[in-house]
């Protein structure tokens, strides 16, 4: 049992408990050597009976520890406490993008803010891909949003090397809203699968909802595979055609029709941002005729 004030490995003092997650408890800690705040993620005791859970936790430690990018949560170390594996992460003083969406008016962001967030997400994911990894679980819940507007990508629990299926038959559980059709059909994840997830995130930032929703994950999966992808402008008529096209291309059913890299998607967003008209609110017919604001 971890108590406040405990020292883990004689180095990390437990300050407070931040969260009780599905697989791990997260504590705020203080690194007595480097004199900095850290986040300590400790696997829950009741989750340790599963080899799959142990493997997933280990994979997250290894994958994230190999990465060093401004848009990725850093891993400082790992070990065991009371027989349970733990890892020490960069302490992120912010909320998740999901939290931000839940508190903003209307539950969606402006096209400009959404695009600025996506530029950072593209940069971080491109870095991950360049290092031979797929994230495979890109969603607002796994993206920290800092007070200065910075984005930090977290949770590499089901990440895999490019070309590796990861052996995760149930990896889509709970994330089906962001999962590419080819994965739902049992094919190996690829770079374009992460692109698809980013497109769904972009759609949700712009509209406040996911494009496919249904009472059960199975029904959502069927819609992801078979249903026509709705242009975000159908939900947000003011949205420019340029932004519409980026989201739609990222979420094509066929992987080869999507952006081939996060860098390519980022370039398309930057190109759209060159034209300020893409971020202006369009006036309705009565506004144009009578000059209403």
């Amino acid at each position: 049992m971890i108590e406040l004030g405990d020292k883990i490995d004689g180095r990390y003092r437990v300050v407070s408990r931040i969260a009780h997650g599905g697989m791990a408890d997260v504590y705020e800690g203080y690194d007595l050597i480097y004199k900095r705040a850290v986040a300590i993620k400790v696997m829950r005791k009741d989750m340790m009976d599963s080899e799959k859970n142990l493997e997933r936790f280990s994979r997250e430690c290894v994958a994230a520890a190999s990465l060093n990018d401004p848009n990725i949560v850093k891993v400082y170390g790992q070990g065991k406490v009371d027989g349970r594996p733990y890892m020490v992460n960069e302490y992120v003083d912010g909320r998740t993008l999901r939290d931000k969406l839940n508190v903003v008016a209307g539950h969606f962001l402006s096209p400009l803010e959404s695009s600025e967030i996506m530029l950072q997400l593209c940069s971080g994911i491109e870095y991950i891909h360049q290092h031979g990894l797929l994230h495979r679980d890109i969603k607002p819940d796994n993206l920290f949003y800092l007070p200065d507007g910075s984005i930090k990508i977290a949770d590499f629990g089901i990440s895999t090397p490019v070309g590796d299926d990861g052996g995760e038959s149930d990896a889509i559980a709970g994330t089906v809203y962001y999962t590419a059709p080819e994965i739902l059909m049992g094919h190996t994840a690829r770079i374009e699968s992460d692109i698809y997830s980013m497109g769904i995130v972009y759609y949700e930032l712009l509209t406040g909802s996911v494009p496919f929703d249904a009472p059960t994950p199975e029904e959502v999966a069927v819609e992801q595979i078979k249903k026509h992808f709705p242009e975000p402008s159908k939900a947000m008529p003011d949205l420019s055609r340029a932004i519409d096209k980026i989201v739609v291309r990222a979420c094509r059913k066929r992987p080869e029709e999507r952006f081939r890299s996060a860098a390519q998607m980022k370039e398309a967003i930057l190109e759209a941002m060159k034209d300020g008209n893409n971020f202006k609110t369009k006036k309705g017919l009565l506004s144009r005729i009578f000059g209403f604001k």
Side-chain angles (χ1 to χ4, degrees), residues 226-245:
K226 296 184 176 182
K227 198 170 180 180
H228 171 75
F229 186 84
E231 294 85 352
S233 60
K234 295 286 177 63
M236 303 296 290
D238 280 355
L239 196 64
S240 74
R241 180 61 183 151
I243 301 299
D244 232 17
K245 288 172 65 176

Side-chain angles (χ1 to χ4, degrees), residues 243-256:
I243 301 299
D244 232 17
K245 288 172 65 176
I246 294 170
V247 179
V248 170
R249 181 176 175 186
C251 294
R252 295 285 187 195
K253 301 297 184 188
R254 294 166 58 87
E256 57 271 21

Side-chain angles (χ1 to χ4, degrees), residues 86-99:
Y86 75 85
M87 64 177 163
V88 181
N89 297 339
E90 169 187 8
Y91 181 76
V92 180
D93 184 16
R95 55 192 175 183
T96 66
L97 202 51
R98 169 68 61 220
D99 295 330

Side-chain angles (χ1 to χ4, degrees), residues 63-76 90 127-128 131 152:
S66 68
L67 304 171
N68 184 19
D69 183 83
N71 293 121
I72 298 172
V73 174
K74 293 181 177 66
V75 173
Y76 295 138
E90 169 187 8
Y127 177 89
I128 292 167
H131 285 73
K152 295 269 188 182

